[in-house]
Every structure is written in structure tokens, then in C-alpha cells.
């Protein structure tokens, strides 16, 4: 399941890097459902030392990718706020210079 989680996270990172916000959201929904299934499992899994190490590396990769996704979405959020701000300013200017 951790490999599936990592695969979905890579897809989300790719989407964020390419500005495909719809695909990013779709990936987050899929990943959320997978995490819920993982949390619902009541049986602890017994892993060998090698499996534990691999799982630990996978989790580190997921967390690193999540950090990059967060950085990309914050940058996009800033761009979006600028665009919305300029639209608001444009509307105010149009209204101010309208002839009654």
C-alpha cells in the first residue's frame, strides 16, 4: 500500500509541477481514500528489517514530495491572489470612471 501511496504522490507532484490543478485535486482525493483504507486496517503488519527500511524510505520520499507540492501550490495561490487583486482593481477603476 505504501508503494501505491508513493505512486499517487508522484502523480500529484507531476500535476503540480505542470500546473494541472484538477489532476492534483483528483490525486489528493484518491490518495485520501487510500490512506483511509490503510488506517482502517486493524491488523499490524509484521515486516522484515529490509521491508521496514524500504517502507521508511518510501515514507521519506512521500513527505519530501508533499513538501514540494505544498511549495508549488503556495506559489500558485500567490499568483491567483495577484490575478484576483488586479481584477478587483480593474473593476474599481472602471466604476470610478463610468459616466453617470
Amino acid at each position: 500500500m505504501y508503494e501505491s501511496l508513493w505512486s499517487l504522490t508522484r502523480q500529484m507532484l507531476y500535476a503540480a509541477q505542470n500546473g494541472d490543478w484538477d489532476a492534483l485535486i483528483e490525486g489528493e482525493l484518491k490518495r485520501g481514500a487510500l490512506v483511509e483504507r490503510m488506517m482502517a486496517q486493524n491488523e499490524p503488519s509484521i515486516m522484515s528489517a529490509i521491508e521496514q527500511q524500504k517502507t521508511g524510505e518510501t515514507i521519506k520520499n512521500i513527505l519530501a514530495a508533499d513538501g514540494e507540492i505544498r511549495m508549488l501550490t503556495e506559489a500558485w495561490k500567490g499568483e491567483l491572489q495577484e490575478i484576483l487583486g488586479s481584477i478587483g482593481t480593474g473593476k474599481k477603476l472602471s466604476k470610478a470612471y463610468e459616466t453617470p
Side-chain angles (χ1 to χ4, degrees), residues 22-41:
D22 291 334
L24 176 65
I25 292 168
E26 183 181 323
E28 180 59 34
L29 292 172
K30 288 178 183 177
R31 194 173 73 159
L34 178 59
V35 168
E36 282 184 30
R37 283 197 312 268
M38 291 171 74
M39 299 294 273
Q41 289 182 341

Side-chain angles (χ1 to χ4, degrees), residues 23-25 27 31-32 36 39-41 45 50 52 55 60 62-63 66 69 74 83-84 88:
L24 176 65
I25 292 168
R31 194 173 73 159
E36 282 184 30
M39 299 294 273
Q41 289 182 341
S45 61
I50 293 172
Q52 287 177 2
T55 299
K60 285 179 187 177
I62 291 168
L63 293 173
D66 276 345
I69 292 167
E74 286 297 320
I83 291 168
L84 292 174

